[in-house]
Amino acid sequence: QVQVVESGGGSARAGDTLRLSCRTSGLNFYDYSMGWFRQAPGKEREGVACIARSGGIMSYADAVKGRFIISRNNAANTVELQMNMLKPEDSAVYYCAADFKTYEGCSLTSLYEYKHWGQGTQVTVSS
């Protein structure tokens, strides 16, 4: 059974740093690109950052480019999202997801391709 579990959310103030972690099990981690998504109340779920299987390709949403860093550890089956210079508009539930890929690449927009999702972790940023 595939499991995707996020951790590391919480409350922060504008300008702070938070680090989210996602641990997977039940899948061959190297076969999957990984993505972080977020959903704020009343808004659609959106892509934040994704990383290809080997970690050599990463993509970021414009809203977080230059502030967030995605990384993965294929030996540990984990992916992390370091969120620097947080803003109140970063407040949302953050989800980690896995997308089976036969090539190097990842998508921030094709959410339907991600078959395995975590339950989400809340991030709240105050001004």
Side-chain angles (χ1 to χ4, degrees):
Q1 182 179 356
V2 176
Q3 288 190 314
V4 179
V5 180
E6 304 95 340
S7 62
S11 297
R13 306 192 75 163
D16 284 353
T17 294
L18 280 178
R19 192 175 182 91
L20 304 183
S21 184
C22 171
R23 181 174 296 277
T24 69
S25 61
L27 53 76
N28 187 355
F29 190 67
Y30 185 77
D31 286 337
Y32 289 78
S33 69
M34 299 298 297
W36 283 98
F37 300 83
R38 67 186 181 187
Q39 188 166 19
K43 295 189 176 182
E44 292 188 354
R45 193 170 297 189
E46 62 177 2
V48 175
C50 67
I51 187 166
R53 300 181 309 175
S54 70
I57 297 173
M58 292 157 280
S59 184
Y60 296 92
D62 288 344
V64 307
K65 204 170 291 183
R67 299 188 296 122
F68 290 11
I69 302 171
I70 189 171
S71 61
R72 66 187 290 160
N73 183 332
N74 285 349
N77 294 352
T78 59
V79 60
E80 295 190 335
L81 184 69
Q82 179 163 325
M83 305 185 294
N84 302 315
M85 296 180 288
L86 282 163
K87 302 177 180 180
E89 51 264 44
D90 294 321
S91 297
V93 177
Y94 282 72
Y95 298 91
C96 175
D99 175 18
F100 181 80
K101 279 279 193 278
T102 58
Y103 59 90
E104 282 294 297
C106 69
S107 173
L108 284 178
T109 57
S110 300
L111 275 69
Y112 65 91
E113 294 183 351
Y114 288 80
K115 302 303 183 188
H116 306 292
W117 291 79
Q119 293 299 306
T121 184
Q122 177 71 48
V123 172
T124 303
V125 184
S126 60
S127 57

